[in-house]
Amino acid sequence: MQTQYVISDPIPLLDNLSFRIFLPSHFVLEEVKWIKNMITDDELLPGVKEFLIDAREKGHKIALGSASKNARLILERLDLVRFFDAIVDGNLVAKAKPDPEVFVMGAEMLGKKPAECIVFEDSDAGIEAAHAGNMKAVGIGTASYLAEADICLKNLKENSIDDIIRRLWF
């Protein structure tokens, strides 16, 4: 069985801007300018680009699931959009994590059953959403914070897609 992947928030950049509700309405335009002018490869988690290249070379489909309405813009700015077969963002979903809507839609867009997908996530709400959607969850970050993940990794730098599949299913 070739497993397909829904990758969530491998670049946790703007989802922490919860304070934006207190800012003037022009902030969204300023946020877009910031994305276009300031985001660089330095913002990526270690190993993300290499991991995406490896997964693509091995024929795995990849979707991004993010609550950010700027997910596509971020991927374009970082020259990562080419790695994704589907992008599900805040423009397409109505429910926030821990609801699994963003991940289930990603699986559907890839033409895969949720049980065939792995979610890579850096938040406990995202891990909960993955499990609620009947998907495996790989936590990226601190194991104590992401205790409900099926496995937890500090980053993607020293982990191949093949190693992760083996750890999850075999």
Side-chain angles (χ1 to χ4, degrees), residues 22-82:
F22 301 111
L23 296 173
S25 60
H26 73 276
F27 177 72
V28 174
L29 296 176
E30 294 303 316
E31 182 178 351
V32 170
K33 286 181 191 174
W34 180 81
I35 291 168
K36 287 183 176 179
N37 297 323
M38 302 300 290
I39 293 178
T40 67
D41 282 353
D42 294 338
E43 303 288 345
L44 289 171
L45 292 173
V48 167
K49 192 173 265 187
E50 296 79 7
F51 187 85
L52 292 171
I53 291 168
D54 181 50
R56 292 298 283 182
E57 287 176 351
K58 292 178 177 162
H60 300 295
K61 291 186 177 182
I62 304 171
L64 179 94
S66 175
S68 172
K69 291 187 176 185
N70 292 310
R72 179 175 291 278
L73 181 60
I74 294 167
L75 293 177
E76 288 170 356
R77 176 66 178 104
L78 294 171
D79 192 32
L80 296 177
V81 74
R82 61 194 161 103

Side-chain angles (χ1 to χ4, degrees), residues 70-113:
N70 292 310
R72 179 175 291 278
L73 181 60
I74 294 167
L75 293 177
E76 288 170 356
R77 176 66 178 104
L78 294 171
D79 192 32
L80 296 177
V81 74
R82 61 194 161 103
F83 296 111
F84 294 87
D85 300 289
I87 298 171
V88 181
D89 64 14
N91 295 303
L92 297 176
V93 296
K95 300 174 186 169
K97 301 170 198 171
D99 188 283
E101 179 184 26
V102 69
F103 299 138
V104 171
M105 186 180 291
E108 289 172 359
M109 290 174 83
L110 294 177
K112 296 297 161 188
K113 296 176 186 172

Side-chain angles (χ1 to χ4, degrees), residues 19 28 51 67 98 131 144 169-170:
F19 60 84
V28 174
F51 187 85
H131 288 151
S144 60
W169 276 288
F170 303 105

Side-chain angles (χ1 to χ4, degrees), residues 111-123:
K112 296 297 161 188
K113 296 176 186 172
E116 297 175 311
C117 298
I118 301 170
V119 171
F120 293 80
E121 181 59 61
D122 65 349
S123 74

Side-chain angles (χ1 to χ4, degrees), residues 112-154:
K112 296 297 161 188
K113 296 176 186 172
E116 297 175 311
C117 298
I118 301 170
V119 171
F120 293 80
E121 181 59 61
D122 65 349
S123 74
D124 56 344
I127 299 296
E128 185 179 339
H131 288 151
N134 195 30
M135 301 177 186
K136 298 286 187 184
V138 175
I140 305 294
T142 308
S144 60
Y145 178 67
L146 302 168
E148 298 302 315
D150 296 300
I151 59 174
C152 193
L153 309 171
K154 289 182 186 177

